[in-house]
Amino acid sequence: MLLKSGKVITKLLIQTRKMHLLHDKTYINGQWISAASNKIFEVLNPADGSIISTVPDMDIEDTQKAIESAANAFETWKNTTPKERSYFLRNWYNLLIKNRDNLAKIITLESGKPLPEALGEVNYGNSFVEWFSEQARNVRGEIIQSSTTTKKILVEHYPIGVAALITPWNFPHAMITRKVSPALAVGCTCVIKPAEDTPLTALALLELAEEAGIPKGVLNIVTSGRKNAPKIGKLLCESSLVAGISFTGSTQVGKILYKQCSAGVKRLGLELGGNAPFIVYNTADVDKAVEGAVTAKFRNCGQACVAANRFLVQEGVYDSFVGKLVDRVKDLKIGCGFDSGVRIGPLINRAQFEKISNLVGDAVAKGAKVVIGGIPAPKIGELFYEPTVVVDVNKNTMLFSEEIFGPVIGIVKFKTEEESLDIANGTDRGLAAYFYSEDIKQIFRVNRNLEAGMIGVNEGLISTVEAPFGGIKESGIGREGSHRGVEEYTYIKYTCIGNLE
């Protein structure tokens, strides 16, 4: 299997290098450029450690140029009509559709996710460009009745200015399009800082944006390795030319950015970490719950902010659920994302691999039992970890209290509905939650009491462009997607026209 995968990857690397979408330079002010220092860093394939490409390792000097480029472009872009912005976004969407197969290959190469999942991400990410191309012409103000006959009250939306977008590695296409599209739709310009693990997808997206005719300076991208990332983030937060920050990533980093933005009281959108409960009640359809669990947990090898994290199963269906779940997990093929039938790819990097190993080790040391998996899969590759189910998880374990971001299910048995809600809500995170029940009264009762920004009821896949995406508590501020997505990039101007006698 390893030899076959190696040959497949080598062949795809050769093919990909011939793609016009694969760049070794970054894009600022309509030009493909190197870092001012000429430094580069390597982008690795997590499936086998091979070097896919190199990209510029930029610093705050390069970032300042990107910010100034976006600020200059804003003076023109803000005066374009909604119809014009809609046209550019639609052109971009059409090119994204045309190139979706190549985009998916790049995603699989640099993130490791199975190719069918990469295609799913491309379709999902493209949907935001389509959606906001339509929303551009539907941002509406108000005329409000005044308390006097001599005044007229007008309320309008205006673009905030330059938006700095800091995106994660786990969905390198969708996290960019979900932020860029509403920003462009309302007249903002952008500086994009993609994750150091997956910059190639971001560069491919900007290649297609350029082909779509989006004017120079409207979109700019800053690539950097881990060493320069904190300084770049600080500059984006503190620059007086940047009007707003949108960040998707860990709560820890989000808090740092939150503090740094306070100096300029910037518009801030944060989509941070989760600790999603997945509750199975006695009233559930167990077969549906098992399928939902596999979807909610193992997509992208568990590396998703909305992935189910704490599995709570009521004692009446506990044995049935665990037995069927283990049988289902046995069928999950692990391997290179380009191999047919693979459901579980590699973890993104060594740090993530070691984290998963430590979480499972800590749980077992505190009395938990591994039913299936629980070990690395070195015969496939250094960053592969077998899909795992752990039972009898102690609530004091790291596996239960921390966001896992890996292919591990930890299960806790509970007795009553009240107990399940106490456990589910006993966290400072509140991004997503899932529960299964066929009792309609219980569905509305539990839904009302769960503390999360997004809830899946008898459903393990909840993300869609039409719905507002975001959490509560320390899982973030603001919403992405839906008609509300544009609100993060506009400010409201109230105008009072008086003396209308």
Side-chain angles (χ1 to χ4, degrees):
M1 179 185 292
L2 182 61
L3 180 61
K4 176 186 175 183
S5 298
K7 288 181 178 179
V8 169
I9 291 173
T10 300
K11 181 179 179 181
L12 283 164
L13 279 171
I14 294 172
Q15 292 175 348
T16 304
R17 289 190 181 105
K18 295 179 180 178
M19 295 180 193
H20 75 292
L21 294 181
L22 194 69
H23 280 279
D24 60 2
K25 295 189 180 343
T26 195
Y27 187 73
I28 293 177
N29 198 31
Q31 301 293 322
W32 292 97
I33 62 172
S34 302
S37 65
N38 286 320
K39 291 182 179 180
I40 59 173
F41 67 97
E42 297 173 343
V43 182
L44 305 180
N45 184 330
D48 65 356
S50 62
I51 299 172
I52 306 170
S53 183
T54 60
V55 295
D57 189 1
M58 309 190 97
D59 56 22
I60 56 174
E61 179 184 347
D62 301 294
T63 306
Q64 182 62 32
K65 291 179 182 177
I67 293 171
E68 291 173 358
S69 170
N72 290 334
F74 176 67
E75 295 306 312
T76 302
W77 183 252
K78 68 180 181 181
N79 293 320
T80 56
T81 66
K83 183 177 181 179
E84 289 172 322
R85 297 193 293 271
S86 175
Y87 170 81
F88 284 119
L89 284 168
R90 188 71 195 192
N91 280 353
W92 190 23
Y93 169 73
N94 291 337
L95 288 168
L96 291 170
I97 292 295
K98 182 180 178 180
N99 289 274
R100 58 185 170 189
D101 289 340
N102 285 339
L103 287 168
K105 290 175 183 176
I106 294 174
I107 291 171
T108 295
L109 278 170
E110 66 176 352
S111 77
K113 67 176 60 177
L115 188 58
E117 284 192 19
L119 282 166
E121 181 188 344
V122 170
N123 291 332
Y124 175 61
N126 291 352
S127 72
F128 287 98
V129 183
E130 179 187 36
W131 175 264
F132 287 109
S133 73
E134 297 164 352
Q135 290 295 312
R137 302 179 70 178
N138 285 285
V139 179
R140 300 181 181 183
E142 299 173 272
I143 298 177
I144 300 175
Q145 292 294 324
S146 171
S147 58
T148 70
T149 59
T150 61
K151 295 180 181 179
K152 180 73 73 175
I153 298 173
L154 307 179
V155 178
E156 298 173 279
H157 291 266
Y158 284 79
I160 61 172
V162 176
L165 315 175
I166 305 175
T167 60
W169 48 261
N170 57 340
F171 291 91
H173 180 297
M175 295 302 96
I176 289 177
T177 55
R178 196 164 77 184
K179 297 177 187 297
V180 166
S181 301
L184 296 191
V186 297
C188 293
T189 55
C190 302
V191 176
I192 305 164
K193 169 62 180 73
E196 53 271 15
D197 290 298
T198 55
L200 300 177
T201 302
L203 295 171
L205 291 174
L206 263 68
E207 166 65 35
L208 296 174
E210 182 183 44
E211 289 184 30
I214 294 175
K216 70 176 186 178
V218 172
L219 290 177
N220 307 272
I221 190 163
V222 176
T223 57
S224 82
R226 284 178 174 78
K227 183 179 179 181
N228 288 333
K231 292 180 180 179
I232 290 173
K234 187 172 187 291
L235 175 59
L236 292 173
C237 289
E238 296 181 351
S239 171
S240 60
L241 295 177
V242 175
I245 299 285
S246 179
F247 169 74
T248 296
S250 71
T251 297
Q252 179 183 5
V253 174
K255 289 181 177 180
I256 294 172
L257 299 178
Y258 200 169
K259 183 179 294 185
Q260 291 172 344
C261 283
S262 65
V265 195
K266 294 192 190 308
R267 180 69 63 85
L268 188 62
L270 299 174
E271 195 268 280
L272 306 178
N275 193 357
F278 188 101
I279 311 171
V280 184
Y281 289 105
N282 289 339
T283 54
D285 181 318
V286 173
D287 292 328
K288 290 180 181 177
V290 167
E291 287 304 311
V294 170
T295 299
K297 171 83 271 184
F298 292 113
R299 185 167 60 104
N300 196 26
C301 198
Q303 299 172 122
C305 56
V306 294
N309 210 63
R310 297 167 295 152
F311 284 74
L312 316 177
V313 184
Q314 199 162 10
E315 56 186 2
V317 294
Y318 183 86
D319 291 338
S320 174
F321 176 82
V322 172
K324 291 183 177 183
L325 178 63
V326 170
D327 288 341
R328 185 69 179 82
V329 171
K330 289 178 182 177
D331 294 332
L332 299 178
K333 183 179 178 181
I334 180 172
C336 169
F338 291 106
D339 289 346
S340 177
V342 166
R343 287 290 303 275
I344 308 293
L347 293 159
I348 188 66
N349 53 40
R350 174 57 55 177
Q352 194 62 27
F353 176 86
E354 292 177 355
K355 175 186 175 181
I356 298 305
S357 299
N358 291 336
L359 289 177
V360 174
D362 175 72
V364 171
K366 293 176 180 176
K369 177 184 176 182
V370 174
V371 182
I372 187 172
I375 57 174
K379 291 184 178 180
I380 301 175
E382 292 185 1
L383 300 181
F384 287 86
Y385 198 92
E386 292 191 2
T388 298
V389 177
V390 183
V391 297
D392 301 330
V393 175
N394 188 308
K395 298 173 187 177
N396 296 319
T397 62
M398 293 188 296
L399 186 66
F400 187 80
S401 60
E402 295 185 11
E403 185 176 26
I404 298 171
F405 244 61
V408 179
I409 289 178
I411 303 179
V412 174
K413 185 189 294 186
F414 71 89
K415 293 184 178 180
T416 67
E417 181 183 305
E418 182 180 15
E419 181 187 1
S420 73
L421 289 168
D422 286 342
I423 297 172
N425 294 334
T427 175
D428 57 10
R429 313 287 174 86
L431 185 59
Y434 307 86
F435 71 92
Y436 277 72
S437 170
E438 296 295 313
D439 182 337
I440 190 64
K441 292 182 180 180
Q442 183 177 48
I443 286 173
F444 281 99
R445 189 170 60 243
V446 172
N447 183 71
R448 181 176 64 250
N449 290 298
L450 272 177
E451 297 172 357
M454 300 177 288
I455 297 177
V457 183
N458 297 325
E459 178 57 58
L461 184 63
I462 59 176
S463 299
T464 180
V465 67
E466 295 87 0
F469 189 104
I472 61 174
K473 301 196 234 186
E474 291 190 4
S475 284
I477 301 170
R479 292 295 183 270
E480 295 182 326
S482 81
H483 68 279
R484 299 184 183 278
V486 296
E487 296 173 4
E488 304 299 319
Y489 301 96
T490 65
Y491 69 86
I492 294 175
K493 179 185 288 186
Y494 150 55
T495 303
C496 178
I497 303 174
N499 290 303
L500 298 174
E501 298 174 348

